[in-house]
Amino acid sequence: MAAATTTVLVPPLLTRTKVTRCSDFPTLSPRPRSSSSPFRQNHFILSENRKISQLLTRASSEETSTSVDASELFTDLKQKWDALENKSTVLLYGGGAIVALWLSSILVGAINSVPLLPKIMELVGLGYTGWFVYRYLLFKSSRKELATDIEALKKKISETE
């Protein structure tokens, strides 16, 4: 859209000025502007795009019924927190998760600072992705096997086995 606006803003006076040429070809006169000129078509397209974007902005700025009230969210969280028996365990796991995230961020930053290692890691990732697609996603029987493995893992995590 920005490229269209830059082509639209070319001043027409530059095309009508007489230029001395160093060739034997005759100069062409500028095309007369008619109702079917590209400028008017581009202008029509741009004006239609502006109308559509204004409609989209107006439609998205209206408040919807699915918005969550902050006080309702806090009261729900408070009720769930009060229902917990081992609050210290939850705090310990939460703090451990934050520390693990911080340490993994430091590790990734250290790996990225080594000159050749990030490219090697990208190649390892691409290789593993290719193997995973070949092993589990390419054939119908292997997709079924992957689905059963995922369901077994879900049951194992939720302890309903």
Side-chain angles (χ1 to χ4, degrees):
M1 188 167 163
T5 54
T6 55
T7 57
V8 169
L9 296 177
V10 172
L13 296 175
L14 294 177
T15 59
R16 292 187 183 147
T17 57
K18 191 166 187 170
V19 178
T20 51
R21 299 182 191 258
C22 298
S23 67
D24 294 333
F25 297 115
T27 59
L28 298 174
S29 61
R31 288 180 22 193
R33 295 195 179 215
S34 64
S35 63
S36 64
S37 71
F39 173 76
R40 292 184 187 218
Q41 290 174 354
N42 287 341
H43 179 69
F44 176 74
I45 291 170
L46 288 175
S47 64
E48 287 297 316
N49 285 340
R50 286 185 192 130
K51 288 178 186 177
I52 290 171
S53 67
Q54 287 175 352
L55 288 175
L56 290 175
T57 304
R58 289 184 188 143
S60 64
S61 66
E62 293 178 6
E63 191 172 329
T64 59
S65 62
T66 60
S67 63
V68 177
D69 189 22
S71 62
E72 180 182 330
L73 180 68
F74 286 128
T75 56
D76 187 35
L77 285 175
K78 186 171 179 4
Q79 288 174 356
K80 288 184 180 186
W81 179 255
D82 291 338
L84 286 176
E85 294 177 8
N86 291 334
K87 294 178 184 173
S88 60
T89 307
V90 172
L91 290 175
L92 186 64
Y93 282 149
I98 290 172
V99 168
L101 185 66
W102 175 66
L103 287 175
S104 65
S105 170
I106 290 174
L107 181 68
V108 168
I111 289 173
N112 272 339
S113 66
V114 177
L116 195 58
L117 202 53
K119 297 298 179 187
I120 293 172
M121 296 300 271
E122 284 182 21
L123 287 175
V124 168
L126 284 172
Y128 181 76
T129 303
W131 173 82
F132 184 84
V133 166
Y134 176 74
R135 172 68 177 91
Y136 290 110
L137 302 178
L138 200 56
F139 305 108
K140 188 175 184 178
S141 60
S142 60
R143 285 193 298 266
K144 288 181 182 178
E145 179 186 347
L146 178 65
T148 56
D149 287 346
I150 290 174
E151 289 301 319
L153 184 63
K154 284 181 186 178
K155 287 179 182 178
K156 190 175 183 180
I157 289 173
S158 64
E159 297 176 8
T160 59
E161 202 169 352

